[in-house]
Amino acid sequence: MSRALEYATPPEWVRLVERRPLELLSDHAHNELKAASTAQAWLLKRPEASALVVRLARVAAEETEHFDRVVRLLYGRGGALLPLDTNPYADALLARSAATRKDRFLDRMVVAALIEARSCERFELLAAHLADAELRALYAGLVESEQGHRALFLDLVREHFEPAVAEARIAELFRLEGEVMAALPFAYRMHSGLVGAEALA
Ligand SMILES: [Fe+2]
Ligand SMILES: [Fe+2]
């Protein structure tokens, strides 16, 4: 069963982030690298679970390849990988979910699925609405892989937990993600919100 995100990003978000494509690409590159290193870290926590190891190793490899694609495009345009900044979106998701957490692995997998789902939503918007054809192609080319990651993390949740436990926590954290996103300020970043963006319009 797939589940829709509870906050739908309006296409106007693209009009704003596309003003500073190099900042967006740098942030995006960092996200890809973080996704790769996170998948590797989780894999090392459960070395005995061979099916999990194989699937997470594949995610890590794909995210590393995405990083390579994004960072080459960034450098090709004369941009630079900016210093790693805090990530208000991921930080808020982790902090707010921790308040009601019953199982760390369950929450890790659901939050990972949410981050992938939100990335897919943003990539689809960028692929549809960016004025820049090269960037439209980049994002169109990444959607399918991120959809696969979203599905994989939800599969892992459903394989490891009782259906009632899994579905209740998935629903709870999808709701929470919608609240987090609706309250996030705008920034030239992949997972930014729109709060305060009126000033830029
Ligand atoms: Fe990725
Ligand atoms: Fe991903």
Side-chain angles (χ1 to χ4, degrees):
M1 182 182 75
S2 70
R3 176 179 287 276
L5 289 169
E6 304 217 355
Y7 171 91
T9 304
E12 294 73 52
W13 174 82
V14 176
R15 296 274 84 86
L16 294 168
V17 285
E18 73 180 346
R19 294 178 185 181
R20 298 195 194 169
L22 298 182
E23 284 179 45
L24 180 69
L25 286 167
S26 170
D27 177 66
H28 178 188
H30 276 298
N31 292 348
E32 297 289 2
L33 202 55
K34 176 73 178 167
S37 64
T38 302
Q40 288 178 333
W42 289 342
L43 168 169
L44 289 171
K45 285 182 195 298
R46 297 207 167 197
E48 75 292 347
S50 56
L52 185 74
V53 167
V54 167
R55 288 193 279 179
L56 289 178
R58 171 110 188 260
V59 171
E62 289 180 3
E63 303 293 23
T64 304
E65 193 273 323
H66 297 170
F67 170 76
D68 184 64
R69 252 192 257 186
V70 177
V71 88
R72 280 168 187 270
L73 207 150
L74 173 66
Y75 290 156
R77 290 175 171 226
L81 200 53
L82 301 170
L84 182 61
D85 202 356
T86 55
N87 187 326
Y89 170 68
D91 290 350
L93 272 185
L94 293 170
R96 290 198 48 194
S97 60
T100 51
R101 180 194 295 150
K102 294 180 192 73
D103 185 285
R104 187 177 290 272
F105 179 70
L106 172 60
D107 279 17
R108 267 199 197 119
M109 294 300 116
V110 180
V111 168
L114 277 164
I115 294 173
E116 296 286 353
R118 185 58 71 186
S119 298
C120 280
E121 188 224 25
R122 297 289 161 96
F123 291 1
E124 283 171 339
L125 280 176
L126 292 164
H129 299 290
L130 279 170
D132 184 316
E134 188 181 33
L135 292 183
R136 277 203 309 274
L138 169 76
Y139 288 108
L142 288 171
V143 168
E144 193 181 332
S145 172
E146 307 298 7
Q147 280 172 343
H149 299 163
R150 171 190 191 278
L152 166 67
F153 288 120
L154 289 179
D155 286 349
L156 290 174
V157 169
R158 290 170 174 141
E159 287 167 24
H160 284 79
F161 297 91
E162 291 296 322
V165 172
E167 299 310 324
R169 194 57 174 159
I170 289 169
E172 204 174 356
L173 293 186
F174 267 71
R175 256 197 315 278
L176 186 146
E177 196 271 350
E179 290 172 18
V180 164
M181 187 48 82
L184 267 189
F186 176 76
Y188 295 96
R189 301 180 71 154
M190 191 57 71
H191 295 126
S192 58
L194 277 168
V195 173
E198 317 78 61
L200 303 166

